[in-house]
Amino acid sequence: MANLIVIAEQRDGELRETSLETIAALTSIKQADDKLAVAIIAADPQAHVQALSVDGVDEVVAVKATDDFQPDLTEAVIVELAKERKPSVIAVAHGVDAWSFAPAAAVKLDSGLATDVMGLKVEDGELVATRAGYAEKVLVDIDFPEKETVLLTVRTNVFEPAAGSGSPEVTEMAPPEADVATTHEGWKPPADAGGIDIGGAEFILSIGRGVGDESNVEEFQELAENMGATLGCSRPIADNGWLPKAHQVGQSGQLAANCKLYIAMGVSGSVQHQWGMKHVENIVAVNTDPEASIFSIARYGIVGDMFEIAEELENHF
Amino acid sequence: MKILVTVKQVAALDDEFELRDDGRDVDEDFFEEDLNEFDHYSVEEALLIKEAAGDDAEVVIVTVGNEDTDDALRTALAKGADRGIRIWDESLADADGIAVAKVLAKVVEREKPDMVFTGAQSADFGSAVTGMALAGLLGWPHAAVVCNLEYSPGSDTATLRRELEGGLEEIMTVRCPAVLSIQLGINEPRYASLRGIKQAKQKPVDELTLDDLGLAADGVTSASRVRRMYAPEKGQAELITGSAAEQATRLAEIIKELRGM
């Protein structure tokens, strides 16, 4: 029997869907006699027990703390659970919170570590994790020789969230003593969207680094208007201040939740950008680089100059 | 006052590439190497603090890599950092972020900086491991994906914002000294001037071995091992070919059909 542990993720008292994806990642390798425990650190951990009582979960470990995210406390919980249970795998979602604590916890445990994992399998009795490398141009299978425990951060939007309803045992764990060096001071919500609604838009024309210069943005703004599309962008365009942040599609921007048609011009297709749009049924990629990763998720591809295509497209609308 | 900034020379791949004979990495002949994009921002943040502090503030750049990675180091020095440290040993050839952090931890013990900045992740593997593993080894306060920072040299806390999913940011104070991983967009990184590039060639770079840091090769073990590397099966977009006018005509048809226009 092996112990598997998921550290659930909550933000400001709301359980995050990524917790269920992480559970699904571990149930995909769970053997019949393995035990899967999910730990939740929150002000009212009991409030999340029902949502975490999904297929495959044998135990929910409730750790009563505050709703504030504290990397030091999370690390202490992981170290404590590892000491008690000698788990073979501990998994968390590869979200911004995990970036703060997972590597630090791994060195404290001297465990194996793989981050942004998109596939898991067992080969000859060994855990093998798959992740991407060289800006998504290759896949890498990783193993963990001589490591009794392996810590994984799991890529989001890959595993279908665990569902169903189990009846896990609920246990309480006192928060371990931790030297907490951070204090939550508040939130800064996303800037006013100014009427831009990427999440609601059905048709998005998105521009990326290929636009080259701020002065070129306006013609794409006009093209989008003429076509009846919402203008989206990738991160560098917003970082440069060429478009307000509300236009940004991707992990640190907006999810194009209702989009049916997404035209990506001069967007290479980083994993963070894809997070916001790869689910769209009709993606058209326009890019001069035939190797750009955006082509691997697009339905239609045009290997060509975004300015020439835009200029010609004007004639049709 | 001293800020230590860790940097990485990252590799992008040529359009066509081949794997190494052992199947565990790409043949390095197909690499195009450059300073990690995130590191431009962490170096800039350190330089801004140094400039605001005036007098005896020092920015030290450190990298773990063979002599090819001198380019990354000199790029950071050309922007205005004071000196560099490069550590290399052949046993580090397959080091992961954990092993690199073990080396960097010894450099921090030696340099005793007031703050350590790293990039939030590397542009090639995006592991987001090295900086926070370093913090774990040192037992230092830490925060990742910092998109705004208020810190005065000598202060025992810093106020920062972490960039979360969906554009939300969390405001946080952290005890100092701390290890912070810096996110894109926190500032506008400067380009090195011609004068800066010339001066960078004269700036001191300490080239250290593991032995110099009191480390043995078997003391810097990785937390993972590459079993194999391979090209992913890619989805294949239906390519629209022809002249730009023809391609645009077809694209307009697709748009009108899907939009019911």
Side-chain angles (χ1 to χ4, degrees), chain A residues 106 110-115 127 129 131 140-147 149-152, chain B residues 94-99 102 127 129 220-227:
Chain A
D110 194 23
S111 68
L113 175 69
T115 58
L127 180 71
R131 75 186 310 281
V140 193
D141 281 355
I142 289 169
D143 58 16
F144 313 92
E146 293 163 47
K147 296 292 185 185
T149 298
V150 175
L151 207 157
L152 303 171
Chain B
D94 292 320
D96 67 0
I98 297 287
K102 289 173 184 169
S127 300
V129 164
V220 284
T221 48
S222 291
S224 60
R225 180 182 69 174
V226 172
R227 191 172 265 220

Side-chain angles (χ1 to χ4, degrees), chain A residues 9 11 16 69 71-72 75 94-97 99-101 103-104 106-108 110-113 115-116 121 123-124 126 128 130-145 147 179-190 202-203 209 227-228 235 239 245 251-254 261 263 265 272 282 284 286 289 291 295-304 308-309 312-313 316-317, chain B residues 11-17 19 25-26 31 37 41 96 98 101-102 120-121 123-130 132-137 139-145 159 161-175 181 183-185 221-241 243-245 247-252 254-256 258-259 261:
Chain A
E9 196 185 9
R11 179 162 296 154
R16 289 173 58 75
F69 167 65
D72 301 299
E75 283 155 43
H94 188 70
V96 174
D97 285 358
W99 291 34
S100 293
F101 68 78
V107 294
K108 287 173 186 171
D110 194 23
S111 68
L113 175 69
T115 58
D116 202 15
K121 58 197 165 196
E123 273 182 17
D124 316 324
E126 301 271 331
V128 176
T130 304
R131 75 186 310 281
Y134 298 115
E136 309 283 308
K137 294 263 172 83
V138 299
L139 292 177
V140 193
D141 281 355
I142 289 169
D143 58 16
F144 313 92
K147 296 292 185 185
D179 179 20
V180 172
T182 60
T183 311
H184 171 84
E185 304 287 355
W187 304 100
K188 181 175 178 287
E202 291 194 355
F203 178 21
R209 234 187 258 269
M227 296 195 302
R235 174 159 195 138
D239 273 354
K245 187 96 177 159
Q251 200 149 19
S252 56
Q254 302 300 311
L261 172 60
I263 302 179
M265 290 191 160
Q272 291 84 4
N282 296 290
V284 185
V286 180
D289 174 12
E291 297 293 320
F295 285 114
S296 68
I297 58 162
R299 179 167 176 192
Y300 302 101
I302 293 177
V303 178
E308 285 179 30
I309 300 295
E312 294 288 345
L313 210 48
H316 296 273
F317 293 91
Chain B
L13 297 185
D14 283 344
D15 286 354
E16 302 289 329
F17 59 85
L19 291 172
D25 205 342
V26 169
F31 287 166
E37 184 183 5
Y41 295 84
D96 67 0
I98 297 287
K102 289 173 184 169
Q121 61 178 324
D124 49 4
F125 275 79
S127 300
V129 164
T130 311
M132 295 301 109
L134 172 61
L137 290 165
W140 279 27
H142 50 285
V145 198
T159 301
R161 296 204 303 265
R162 298 192 306 131
E163 186 183 83
L164 306 175
E165 290 83 358
L168 179 70
E169 296 174 7
E170 181 188 12
I171 306 159
M172 189 180 247
T173 51
V174 62
R175 220 165 56 213
S181 86
Q183 171 66 314
L184 302 175
T221 48
S222 291
S224 60
R225 180 182 69 174
V226 172
R227 191 172 265 220
R228 64 182 81 89
M229 190 177 281
Y230 48 101
E233 275 182 40
K234 280 189 195 161
Q236 200 56 57
E238 180 186 328
L239 281 188
I240 299 169
T241 54
S243 66
Q247 288 172 318
T249 301
R250 177 74 187 110
L251 178 51
I254 291 168
I255 294 168
K256 287 176 180 173
L258 288 170
R259 301 296 300 154
M261 290 157 81

Side-chain angles (χ1 to χ4, degrees), chain A residues 234-288:
Chain A
S234 65
R235 174 159 195 138
I237 307 303
D239 273 354
N240 285 338
W242 299 352
L243 280 173
K245 187 96 177 159
H247 291 262
Q248 187 189 322
V249 178
Q251 200 149 19
S252 56
Q254 302 300 311
L255 178 70
N258 289 300
C259 188
K260 308 276 192 297
L261 172 60
Y262 191 93
I263 302 179
M265 290 191 160
V267 176
S268 64
S270 71
V271 57
Q272 291 84 4
H273 188 76
Q274 288 190 20
W275 181 93
M277 47 67 76
K278 72 173 178 202
H279 59 278
V280 178
E281 193 180 344
N282 296 290
I283 296 170
V284 185
V286 180
N287 204 301
T288 48

